[in-house]
Amino acid sequence: MDHSERGKKTKKKDNGNESINKLKRAFAYNLFYKQGKTIRSATLNDYYLAVAQTVRDRMQHLFINSIEALSEKESKVVCYLSAEFLMGPHLGNNLINLGLYDDVARATREAGLDLREILNHEEEPGLGNGGLGRLAACYLDSLATLQIPAIGYGLRYEFGMFDQEIEDGWQKEISDRWLRPGNPWEIKKLDLNCEVGFGGHTETYNDENGRQRVRWIPGRAVIGIPYDTPVPGYKVNTVNCLRLWSSEAPKSFDFEDFNVGDYFGAVEEKIAAENITKVLYPNDERFKGKRLRLAQQYFFVSCSLQDMIRTHLLNNDRLDNFYDYFQAQLNDTHPAVAVPELMRLLVDLYHYDWDSAWDITCKTLCYTNHTLLPEAMEKWQLDLFKNLLPRHLEIIFEINYHLLEAVKAKYPGDDSRVERMSIIDESDNRYIRMVNLACFGSKAINGVAAMHTDLLRRHTLKDFNQMYPGKIHNVTNGVTPRRWIALSNPRLTRLLKEAIGENWITHLDDLKKIEKFADDAAFKEAWRKVKEDNKKDVTGQAFQKNGIGIDPEAMFDVQVKRIHEYKRQHLNLLHIITLYNRIKANPNTDITPRVFVFGGKAAPSYFMAKRIIKLINSVAEVVNNDPDVQGRLKIFFVPNYNVKIGHIVYPMADLSEQISLAGMEASGTGNMKFSMNGALTIGTLDGANVEIRNEVGAENFFLFGMDEKSVHEKKIAGYRPEEYYKNNDELRGVIDRLKSGHFAHGDRELFKPIVDSLLYDDRYLCCADYQDYVECQARVSRTFEDKDLWTRMSILNVARMGKFSSDRSVSDYCQKIWNVKPFPVKLKWQRVPEGGIVFPRPIK
Ligand code: F58
């Protein structure tokens, strides 16, 4: 019996009153006994914690059963190794997945609390930069929902992604102290700690059988303490585990060093150990070559592999069949040090011979690539690496020797191929190429959208693809409909449930059933009302604070994502300024009213990205206040774009801007979230846009811009952005407006770097795509004027989004890569009975 059925049974008996009363009692109990508060002293945070603890307690037995099932022999476990998990707030999602939302809403209401206020209060764990971290979170949700035993392994950063404030139009970074209000979801598992070594040296010795072996004598050790967070599947018994490691010093700092008088030396060691999990590195130039970043990577990889091995050995004597029970997915190259670490554990600790260890390693690890940008490919300087992980460097050299022997055997005399495929980059400063390491040490490599995988096969990983045909797979990304529709868009959810039931929540292809309503006038009216009400919500709330009057009838044209030149937020601005110029030239010009919404963080040291944020805010200031515009154009920059803001932004959008230069965005996942919530896309043939367009139909997608092939050709032929400036009057008008200081209170210097980059560099071909973009936007406006047509297109977009559920992506991984099957959890441990339990063995 799954818990949704259990819920129904109780309800039949007492019409739900008993369970509601129990919930209310549990709130009061937790407030009193856990927070030590009464209603006289309780803060909103106390109430949040009391409600969260109540919900957590209701899945605890499922969590315990699921964790215990992991160590049983029968099931294969997927371990998702990721330096980032951008989980978003837990409470609402857990309520949805546990089927408790309505009951808890009623219980809180009856208890005099406002569930929305409580949900809103939750501080989200921002343990990720963007797409890659959020993808990991969607995949955990789907793994649990599909009842695949899985563990997400990562780092418990004390400070997550910085909070963004906007001050005078500029981004300001504020540290994210997400743990301060208390984290009711995690459980510290002190007994499962792991020791991780760093630095030191290696030595050889002969074992009892006279075999030569290597021993690593680390210079210092750090302890990893796991904190487990439950990840409940949707209405199933499976509650998987997100296990995040926190670093601590191995001993209390007041022992030896203190005794010899070196108090500060001892404290420093403690601080150094704790620093490892102190802060998430923002996706930034400054983390390049950072020793602490490598320490983070090795720390969580080593803890996680040790944890997997420990679990395996509970039921097995040896590790020969390790890969039959554990599949480890490397989320980008950040955990690629798993290749030499698993080899080290197998060879040095468990005394496997090299070939057997290599076989086990390669059958365990799988690698996902998330980028084609050459500058984003990880590489580590040899000296730095050796200093931190001397034994691993030796192992990497040995792995590389085997790789290069294989390359030479297959391609005799092809020296340049050997150079390209080598794990060691021999140019000036010698580097370890983590991509090559991950590719060689994994059983499978995958790209994250069809086009991206194709480019990996044909360009970035061409050599590996030729040498190991069939090793590179495609798994197009997906997002979870539980969070991205059921939780965040309750109005759309209600309408869909009324029309086609709720099977789509776990079988998103079912949305196809709404196609038949695409010409149903009443349904279309209801559809429009959903969007309109979602828009009214935000015009009433968030935007009001900024004093901008917003017309909910206007088109909400939204671009939310990390700020990066390749994503071309500045191309969006060129269009906005075009419309503005048209109004200035003729205030009566016919304009479809639009609200342009931007959101996203810039890496703290990314000069151009930060300047683009300032430009968005500066254009907003001028346009929003110009009387000629008469409110027809409004620009709004939502500060601190994160998962919580995503919940608001996707449901309210009419138009989704997916305008990266073709060939740059590996996949994108925001594009999917918008489309699922009824926004239409204006986009290039890039990443998953290509597949979204295929699914929804070319007639329901606003395509513009060069494709990847023409981009490539244009760059080869010699791209000259100034020519577009010279030949295109409107573009020249826009760039001249920028030059003039019009958006900078007359200061002609402030935006000169953006102007110069557009005119003389324009790496991402904004000028070349400008005209097509502006024309396409005019088509968007015309279509928007035809409400009936727009609504039809919107319905068809949602109807055809089935492919982009992360349930499909995870099923693809299960079949193509991990070879795992669902393993429903049998409940061996029930809730703690009222009379307590008898412990069958003495406590250790
Ligand atoms: C993103 N990468 C891709 N990296 O850009 C996006 O197209 C894709 O949809 C998504 O992965 C999921 O596959 C991404 O988010 C990072 O944030 C890195 C974090 C660590 C530093 C370097 C960037």
Side-chain angles (χ1 to χ4, degrees):
M1 170 167 78
D2 76 14
H3 67 261
S4 55
E5 285 167 18
R6 263 198 310 281
K8 276 182 211 150
K9 273 204 165 167
T10 345
K11 272 197 182 141
K12 253 191 214 155
K13 238 184 6 206
D14 65 351
N15 203 18
N17 287 334
E18 190 185 322
S19 54
I20 301 293
N21 287 337
K22 277 187 178 168
L23 283 169
K24 290 195 298 195
R25 268 201 304 278
F27 299 155
Y29 178 96
N30 287 328
L31 190 69
F32 196 82
Y33 288 104
K34 303 258 177 73
Q35 265 64 256
K37 291 285 182 81
T38 66
I39 49 167
R40 277 186 52 195
S41 52
T43 62
L44 180 56
N45 192 51
D46 293 320
Y47 287 121
Y48 158 73
L49 289 172
V51 173
Q53 281 152 353
T54 303
V55 174
R56 182 199 62 197
D57 291 349
R58 269 151 187 72
M59 64 176 147
Q60 199 71 285
H61 66 296
L62 302 177
F63 193 25
I64 290 171
N65 278 286
S66 302
I67 290 189
E68 298 229 343
L70 290 181
S71 45
E72 283 162 13
K73 251 188 182 161
E74 309 102 283
S75 62
K76 201 172 196 177
V77 183
V78 172
C79 297
Y80 202 83
L81 269 62
S82 179
E84 305 189 0
F85 286 93
L86 197 44
M87 299 296 284
H90 291 292
L91 178 57
N93 187 71
N94 292 346
L95 289 174
I96 294 276
N97 283 14
L98 296 168
L100 284 175
Y101 200 101
D102 293 342
D103 279 1
V104 169
R106 191 177 140 197
T108 42
R109 197 168 49 244
E110 289 182 13
L113 300 168
D114 177 353
L115 181 58
R116 281 199 11 199
E117 193 184 11
I118 286 175
L119 289 173
N120 214 5
H121 176 78
E122 182 173 348
E123 182 93 21
E124 75 173 72
L127 307 186
N129 269 282
L132 164 160
R134 183 52 231 174
L135 187 78
C138 282
Y139 283 2
L140 291 190
D141 180 87
S142 286
L143 281 160
T145 298
L146 293 170
Q147 305 186 77
I148 310 289
I151 308 178
Y153 279 115
L155 287 151
R156 183 178 178 271
Y157 303 105
E158 195 179 323
F159 298 97
M161 188 62 189
F162 64 84
D163 285 330
Q164 176 195 57
E165 284 182 6
I166 300 296
E167 217 174 76
D168 187 29
W170 295 98
Q171 166 174 302
K172 201 173 135 195
E173 299 95 25
I174 313 288
S175 62
D176 162 54
R177 310 182 70 176
W178 70 286
L179 285 165
R180 210 155 63 144
N183 178 359
W185 305 106
E186 64 182 13
I187 303 177
K188 183 174 182 174
K189 298 270 173 77
L190 203 55
D191 55 319
L192 299 183
N193 68 80
C194 292
E195 189 174 304
V196 179
F198 290 100
H201 64 278
T202 63
E203 54 190 35
T204 51
Y205 70 100
N206 289 323
D207 68 11
E208 59 279 15
N209 302 320
R211 286 183 75 159
Q212 199 181 58
R213 302 207 171 274
V214 179
R215 183 188 289 138
W216 174 27
I217 320 284
R220 65 189 171 102
V222 172
I223 303 294
I225 311 284
Y227 286 73
D228 288 357
T229 300
V231 183
Y234 182 75
K235 295 188 177 170
V236 288
N237 285 339
T238 303
V239 174
N240 279 333
C241 178
L242 170 63
R243 179 161 286 176
L244 301 180
W245 300 97
S246 178
S247 62
E248 288 187 7
K251 54 184 163 103
S252 139
F253 67 88
D254 54 4
F255 286 145
E256 289 145 44
D257 295 325
F258 186 40
N259 291 340
V260 295
D262 187 9
Y263 180 79
F264 284 100
V267 178
E268 267 166 26
E269 200 185 315
K270 177 179 158 61
I271 291 173
E274 287 172 357
N275 271 348
I276 293 180
T277 51
K278 190 61 77 185
V279 55
L280 164 75
Y281 278 96
N283 165 15
D284 198 298
E285 280 302 303
R286 277 181 297 192
F287 82 43
K288 289 235 168 97
K290 272 281 185 292
R291 191 184 150 90
L292 187 58
R293 168 91 178 161
L294 180 59
Q296 289 184 337
Q297 295 182 349
Y298 175 62
F299 169 74
F300 95 88
V301 163
S302 179
C303 289
S304 309
L305 288 173
Q306 290 184 50
D307 197 48
M308 288 153 66
I309 290 175
R310 184 189 53 76
T311 309
H312 185 75
L313 293 178
L314 290 176
N315 289 306
N316 297 269
D317 297 330
R318 294 180 54 79
L319 293 164
D320 302 29
N321 58 353
F322 183 64
Y323 49 82
D324 283 335
Y325 296 102
F326 286 96
Q327 291 287 289
Q329 191 68 36
L330 310 179
N331 198 23
D332 215 290
T333 55
H334 318 141
V337 69
V339 179
E341 173 65 356
L342 187 51
M343 285 300 286
R344 182 188 73 85
L345 292 167
L346 292 168
V347 173
D348 293 359
L349 263 69
Y350 294 96
H351 293 181
Y352 278 85
D353 63 73
W354 182 273
D355 290 344
S356 310
W358 185 247
D359 186 56
I360 296 170
T361 299
C362 293
K363 286 180 174 164
T364 303
L365 306 179
C366 323
Y367 156 59
T368 307
N369 175 287
H370 293 269
T371 187
L372 293 159
L373 297 183
E375 65 267 29
M377 300 286 178
E378 267 197 312
K379 46 188 197 169
W380 292 105
Q381 248 182 46
L382 235 55
D383 292 347
L384 182 149
F385 199 96
K386 183 176 180 188
N387 185 273
L388 204 67
L389 301 170
R391 177 60 183 141
H392 297 78
L393 186 62
E394 291 172 2
I395 292 172
I396 288 174
F397 278 136
E398 178 90 20
I399 293 172
N400 201 36
Y401 168 79
H402 288 277
L403 166 62
L404 298 187
E405 284 304 299
V407 178
K408 286 177 204 160
K410 184 150 188 189
Y411 306 97
D414 192 345
D415 292 347
S416 71
R417 185 185 295 265
V418 170
E419 192 282 315
R420 291 193 305 271
M421 290 188 76
S422 173
I423 296 169
I424 310 296
D425 177 347
E426 302 283 351
S427 62
D428 31 272
N429 245 316
R430 294 172 81 204
Y431 288 102
I432 303 172
R433 295 167 169 152
M434 299 308 271
V435 176
N436 295 26
L437 179 64
C439 285
F440 188 47
S442 301
K443 70 175 211 192
I445 303 164
N446 76 282
V448 291
M451 177 182 172
H452 171 232
T453 303
D454 181 53
L455 290 169
L456 285 179
R457 289 188 184 125
R458 287 193 295 112
H459 299 293
T460 321
L461 302 178
K462 185 175 169 188
D463 296 322
F464 279 95
N465 190 42
Q466 286 173 350
M467 183 139 164
Y468 303 106
K471 188 169 177 174
I472 304 181
H473 301 258
N474 177 56
V475 181
T476 297
N477 284 167
V479 302
T480 170
R482 269 76 61 186
R483 183 177 288 274
W484 295 113
I485 306 178
L487 172 63
S488 56
N489 200 341
R491 292 190 182 97
L492 180 61
T493 302
R494 215 171 300 130
L495 179 59
L496 291 170
K497 280 186 182 175
E498 280 162 18
I500 59 168
E502 51 186 73
N503 194 40
W504 57 270
I505 298 178
T506 45
H507 298 84
L508 203 64
D509 281 327
D510 239 46
L511 288 178
K512 279 248 154 19
K513 292 183 182 156
I514 62 165
E515 277 199 26
K516 62 173 178 281
F517 300 110
D519 293 308
D520 175 326
F523 185 81
K524 283 164 102 173
E525 191 48 46
W527 191 268
R528 266 195 293 276
K529 178 96 170 54
V530 165
K531 187 62 80 182
E532 197 182 300
D533 288 348
N534 288 344
K535 288 161 79 171
K536 280 185 184 153
D537 274 356
V538 295
T539 52
Q541 297 167 16
F543 293 5
Q544 228 172 33
K545 284 189 212 141
N546 290 271
I548 308 174
I550 282 179
D551 172 11
E553 295 273 298
M555 181 201 309
F556 280 27
D557 174 339
V558 187
Q559 189 173 20
V560 285
K561 48 183 79 241
R562 288 301 292 265
I563 311 290
H564 202 292
E565 286 161 284
Y566 86 76
K567 297 180 189 274
R568 303 201 293 193
Q569 280 91 355
H570 50 327
L571 177 60
N572 190 342
L573 278 172
L574 294 182
H575 169 242
I576 297 173
I577 301 170
T578 304
L579 298 180
Y580 175 71
N581 278 354
R582 286 181 192 164
I583 292 177
K584 292 309 279 180
N586 171 14
N588 296 322
T589 192
D590 192 19
I591 290 267
T592 305
R594 290 202 200 204
V595 178
F596 296 93
V597 178
F598 290 87
K601 295 175 186 177
S605 70
Y606 189 170
F607 174 87
M608 283 299 270
K610 290 187 126 175
R611 198 120 321 198
I612 289 171
I613 292 179
K614 172 69 178 166
L615 180 58
I616 294 169
N617 286 307
S618 303
V619 174
E621 190 191 330
V622 171
V623 172
N624 294 346
N625 296 306
D626 189 320
D628 287 346
V629 177
Q630 293 170 355
R632 288 170 293 175
L633 306 178
K634 291 281 181 191
I635 304 161
F636 188 77
F637 188 94
V638 198
N640 203 35
Y641 175 62
N642 57 8
V643 175
K644 256 170 123 173
I645 295 196
H647 290 176
I648 301 171
V649 162
Y650 297 114
M652 72 165 202
D654 293 306
L655 185 67
S656 152
E657 298 271 352
Q658 305 301 333
I659 61 177
S660 52
L661 176 65
M664 305 306 296
E665 190 71 89
S667 161
T669 45
N671 44 6
M672 302 167 187
K673 294 166 199 163
F674 276 114
S675 224
M676 268 180 203
N677 282 281
L680 303 187
T681 306
I682 181 165
T684 49
L685 282 180
D686 200 15
N689 294 354
V690 179
E691 288 158 83
I692 292 176
R693 180 167 171 268
N694 281 344
E695 291 294 307
V696 304
E699 68 286 6
N700 298 309
F701 186 105
F702 297 99
L703 178 72
F704 78 96
M706 279 178 287
D707 61 12
E708 191 271 330
K709 188 161 171 271
S710 6
V711 168
H712 189 70
E713 285 164 3
K714 178 153 286 295
K715 283 187 176 167
I716 288 177
Y719 170 55
R720 293 171 51 82
E722 317 91 277
E723 283 178 5
Y724 291 88
Y725 172 81
K726 264 188 232 141
N727 299 330
N728 186 323
D729 292 345
E730 268 203 313
L731 175 62
R732 194 168 56 253
V734 169
I735 293 187
D736 287 349
R737 179 79 78 180
L738 276 173
K739 271 186 182 170
S740 71
H742 186 81
F743 300 114
H745 302 281
D747 178 353
R748 298 168 73 100
E749 292 303 308
L750 186 60
F751 298 120
K752 190 164 184 296
I754 296 180
V755 170
D756 287 351
S757 133
L758 282 170
L759 284 178
Y760 310 116
D761 180 22
D762 198 20
R763 278 177 65 194
Y764 303 107
L765 278 63
C766 287
C767 293
D769 270 347
Y770 166 84
Q771 187 59 34
D772 202 15
Y773 180 55
V774 170
E775 283 170 17
C776 189
Q777 287 284 21
R779 286 201 300 282
V780 170
S781 288
R782 281 197 300 277
T783 313
F784 190 72
E785 298 291 334
D786 184 344
K787 293 284 170 246
D788 220 48
L789 175 59
W790 187 274
T791 308
R792 184 171 194 281
M793 291 167 76
S794 166
I795 294 171
L796 292 179
N797 261 262
V798 174
R800 297 171 182 176
M801 286 306 287
K803 177 174 176 185
F804 304 100
S805 165
S806 44
D807 299 344
R808 191 272 313 145
S809 313
V810 164
S811 304
D812 282 1
Y813 275 103
C814 290
Q815 283 158 29
K816 296 186 192 178
I817 296 181
W818 304 322
N819 189 23
V820 300
K821 293 201 169 53
F823 188 81
V825 172
K826 293 182 216 90
L827 299 186
K828 289 191 185 161
W829 305 93
Q830 298 298 332
R831 289 164 206 266
V832 178
E834 293 291 334
I837 48 172
V838 177
F839 294 101
R841 53 175 186 172
I843 295 171
K844 281 180 207 155

